Amino acid sequence: MSTNANANANATATADITTDATAGLSHRLGLWFAHAYVLGMCATIGGAYVFQFGLWEYPCPMCLLQRMFMLLSALGPAMIIARSRKGAVTTGEFASGWGIAIVSALIGGTVSGAQVLMHIKPGDPGYAGALFGLHLYTWAAITFFLAALAAGVNLVLADRAAPLDAAAGSPALRRAATLTLAVLALFAVSNFVACFFLQGFHWQMPGDPTGYQFFTDLF
C-alpha cells in the first residue's frame, strides 16, 4: 500500500513539474510576443521614415496621427515589459497593457480607414507614394487591424500568456527589455522632432506639406 502511495506521489510531483515547465515556457513566449509587438510597430514607423527621409515624401497630419497611435498601441505591451523588469506582472497589469494596445489600434485604424475613404474615388491618385500598389495609410489600416487582433488573442490566452515573473529567471529577457524600451523611446522622440520640424512654430500644419516649415520660416 505504501509503495502505491509513493508511486502516486511521485507521478503527481512529475506532472506538477511538467505543468510548471510548460507554463513557464508559455509565459516567456507571452513576454517575447510583447517585445515583438513593440518592435513591429517601431519597424512600421521606420518604413514610413524611409518614405519621409529617403524619398522626400512629407507626411500629412493624418499620417502623423496614425504614427502617434502606433506608438500609443506599442506603449501598452511596453508597460508590461517595463513591469516585468521589477517583478511579477499581475493579470490586471497584463490586461491593461493589451487593452491600451487594442484601443489605440482601433482608433488608429479609424483614422487610417478615414484616409482610405478620402481617396477611394476611382481615378484619385491618393496621397504620396505607394508600396506594392498600396499607399502607406492603407498599410497602416492593415497594420492596426492585425495589431488589434494580436492583442485580442493575447487577452483570450491571458492565463497562458501572462508573463508573471518570466523575466526574473531569464537574462535574455531582461537584456531585451532594455533594448526594446530604448527603441520605442527613440522612435517616440524622433517622431516628435519630425512633427516639430514639419509644423514649426505654427498651430496648424498644411494638409499637403511640401517641406519642413521650421526651416522655411528660419531661412
Side-chain angles (χ1 to χ4, degrees):
M1 194 72 175
S2 176
T3 302
N4 290 335
N6 289 336
N8 290 334
N10 290 334
T12 301
T14 302
D16 289 341
I17 293 174
T18 302
T19 301
D20 290 342
T22 303
L25 175 60
S26 64
H27 292 159
R28 289 194 296 275
L29 290 176
L31 191 52
W32 278 119
F33 185 81
H35 284 272
Y37 188 100
V38 174
L39 295 176
M41 283 298 188
C42 291
T44 303
I45 298 174
Y49 281 174
V50 172
F51 277 77
Q52 180 177 350
F53 301 113
L55 303 178
W56 297 100
E57 294 188 356
Y58 304 101
C60 68
M62 293 187 73
C63 298
L64 294 175
L65 192 60
Q66 291 163 58
R67 292 185 193 179
M68 292 177 186
F69 279 113
M70 287 181 183
L71 290 170
L72 285 175
S73 187
L75 181 62
M79 291 167 55
I80 297 174
I81 294 170
R83 182 66 184 86
S84 71
R85 300 173 65 189
K86 301 178 181 179
V89 180
T90 66
T91 302
E93 291 168 337
F94 181 81
S96 295
W98 286 113
I100 291 172
I102 292 174
V103 172
S104 300
L106 290 177
I107 298 175
T110 301
V111 176
S112 298
Q115 193 168 10
V116 170
L117 293 176
M118 288 172 58
H119 300 285
I120 200 171
K121 183 179 178 181
D124 190 319
Y127 181 81
L131 178 66
F132 300 120
L134 298 178
H135 290 277
L136 294 188
Y137 44 83
T138 305
W139 283 114
I142 296 172
T143 299
F144 282 125
F145 171 79
L146 294 177
L149 179 62
V153 170
N154 268 275
L155 286 180
V156 172
L157 301 177
D159 288 342
R160 297 184 179 183
L164 299 178
D165 58 350
S170 175
L173 277 170
R174 291 198 298 273
R175 290 193 297 269
T178 301
L179 176 61
T180 298
L181 295 176
V183 170
L184 179 60
L186 175 63
F187 274 89
V189 172
S190 63
N191 191 62
F192 173 80
V193 172
C195 290
F196 172 74
F197 284 132
L198 279 165
Q199 187 168 338
F201 292 100
H202 299 270
W203 287 108
Q204 292 184 333
M205 194 179 85
D208 187 5
T210 57
Y212 293 98
Q213 193 63 42
F214 175 83
F215 296 109
T216 300
D217 295 338
L218 187 63
F219 300 107

